[in-house]
Amino acid sequence: MRFVGFIIFFIYVYFELIFFIAVANSIGIFLALICIIATSILGFSLVKTRGLKNLSIMQQKIANNESYKNEVIRSVALLFAGFFLLIPGFLTDILGAILLIPHVQNHIVEFIVRKIPIRSKFSSSQMHYQEGDIIEGEFKQKNDE
């Protein structure tokens, strides 16, 4: 059971090498290496600029007491995209480029948001009280026995 991770890793490396050899045979090894380096640099700069933009949107939503859950998930998707683009290889570059597409990020956000359980019936935006508000209610104290 503990060898499953190693097997998956070696299968990934095998397919990455096969894909690199196929691309290097068609465009040349020098151009293939330049493409890998260029995608790493381009991916890093894209993730940096879009990450800063996403951070400013998140700060605005926090200031307006709005939910910023989607921006957090998009930031994580950008982090994974940057990680995949920095790893040398064409398959990881393709996966990183796919994660940079906003439409794909929206689908990932929707999928993850559906999977996250809601822990409370009340959101934090409903809990704003003005000074002088009177909240009436009844309570009973129960002993834990």
Side-chain angles (χ1 to χ4, degrees), residues 4-24:
V4 174
F6 289 120
I7 292 171
I8 291 172
F9 176 74
F10 285 120
I11 290 172
Y12 157 74
V13 170
Y14 174 76
F15 282 117
E16 193 72 66
L17 285 173
I18 293 295
F19 199 70
F20 178 78
I21 290 170
V23 170

Side-chain angles (χ1 to χ4, degrees), residues 70-85:
N70 293 347
E71 281 70 27
V72 171
I73 295 171
R74 282 192 180 96
S75 295
V76 171
L78 284 172
L79 182 68
F80 278 112
F83 177 71
F84 286 136
L85 286 169

Side-chain angles (χ1 to χ4, degrees), residues 33-98:
L33 291 173
I34 288 176
C35 286
I36 288 175
I37 293 169
T39 56
S40 294
I41 294 169
L42 180 66
F44 182 75
S45 67
L46 280 174
V47 169
K48 180 181 173 186
T49 57
R50 288 182 66 189
L52 290 174
K53 179 182 175 187
N54 203 19
L55 180 65
S56 67
I57 292 171
M58 219 181 323
Q59 288 173 342
Q60 289 173 354
K61 287 200 173 193
I62 289 171
N64 295 333
N65 291 327
E66 297 175 7
S67 175
Y68 55 92
K69 183 174 23 174
N70 293 347
E71 281 70 27
V72 171
I73 295 171
R74 282 192 180 96
S75 295
V76 171
L78 284 172
L79 182 68
F80 278 112
F83 177 71
F84 286 136
L85 286 169
L86 287 176
I87 295 174
F90 287 106
L91 293 178
T92 54
D93 289 345
I94 291 170
L95 185 60
I98 289 172

